[in-house]
Amino acid sequence: MASITLGGNPIHTSGELPKVGSQLADFKMIQNDLSVASLSNFSGKKLILNIFPSVDTGTCAASVRKFNETAGNLENTTVLCISRDLPFAQKRFCGAEGLENVINLSDFQEGSFGKTNGLEILDGPLASLHSRVIIVTDANGTIIHTEQVSEIADEPNYEAALAVL
């Protein structure tokens, strides 16, 4: 269990992030068109998983914008923006913002992605949502970087995530 904060107040996650050097666990999440995506949909691609509580908050929206800005310049790399938001909200946000370089995935049905990867928030006002996390994999699905942002209102370290690519 990781201890993080929300506005300086302690909250906890369901476990620890997967270890660098391990394989990213397969997943099933819902895309904006309501189809199911799994890890195999991104086979052979390096991945940046930008995981956050809700796209309708300032910090979460900023991270989606920032990764959208850099994603177009990354060779053989896909950015997945993952939350428990409904696919409709994710699609609305990216459409309104004109963001086309990221792929939204919704873990709204069971939250299994958050549980499997130890990043589900267990307590406090954001309980059952995902904590702010970055996971980066190589083209073989091996995890090469993780970051659990300690204060959920803070943005992730973009430079560190991009540097490993």
Side-chain angles (χ1 to χ4, degrees):
M1 176 182 317
S3 290
I4 58 176
T5 59
L6 173 63
N9 298 308
I11 56 176
H12 303 91
T13 66
S14 59
E16 300 298 325
L17 297 181
K19 301 285 184 214
V20 170
S22 66
Q23 288 297 121
L24 181 64
D26 196 11
F27 56 77
K28 288 190 181 334
M29 288 185 276
I30 308 301
Q31 298 185 91
N32 287 348
D33 65 2
L34 302 181
S35 64
V36 176
S38 67
L39 186 57
S40 65
N41 289 82
F42 309 102
S43 181
K45 296 276 190 183
K46 295 180 245 178
L47 298 175
I48 298 173
L49 285 73
N50 177 30
I51 307 155
F52 48 85
S54 175
V55 75
D56 286 322
T57 65
T59 305
C60 300
S63 71
V64 174
R65 286 184 201 106
K66 178 67 173 178
F67 279 120
N68 180 76
E69 177 185 309
T70 59
N73 301 322
L74 301 172
E75 186 176 326
N76 194 40
T77 303
T78 300
V79 177
L80 304 177
C81 293
I82 301 169
S83 69
R84 295 205 63 194
D85 289 304
L86 291 174
F88 313 111
Q90 293 173 332
K91 184 176 182 178
R92 175 194 42 77
F93 173 78
C94 286
E97 296 278 330
L99 307 179
E100 298 177 349
N101 295 325
V102 295
I103 296 172
N104 292 302
L105 296 177
S106 175
D107 191 26
F108 81 96
Q109 290 183 321
E110 298 174 17
S112 61
F113 177 83
K115 292 173 182 147
T116 298
N117 291 289
L119 53 89
E120 178 184 27
I121 298 172
L122 296 178
D123 48 15
L126 300 182
S128 82
L129 297 179
H130 295 337
S131 59
R132 187 172 318 287
V133 170
I134 302 296
I135 299 174
V136 182
T137 72
D138 66 14
N140 298 315
T142 301
I143 296 171
I144 57 175
H145 173 79
T146 64
E147 177 190 6
Q148 170 73 71
V149 179
S150 59
E151 167 55 53
I152 205 152
D154 291 344
E155 292 184 54
N157 184 338
Y158 303 108
E159 293 77 24
L162 297 169
V164 298
L165 295 169

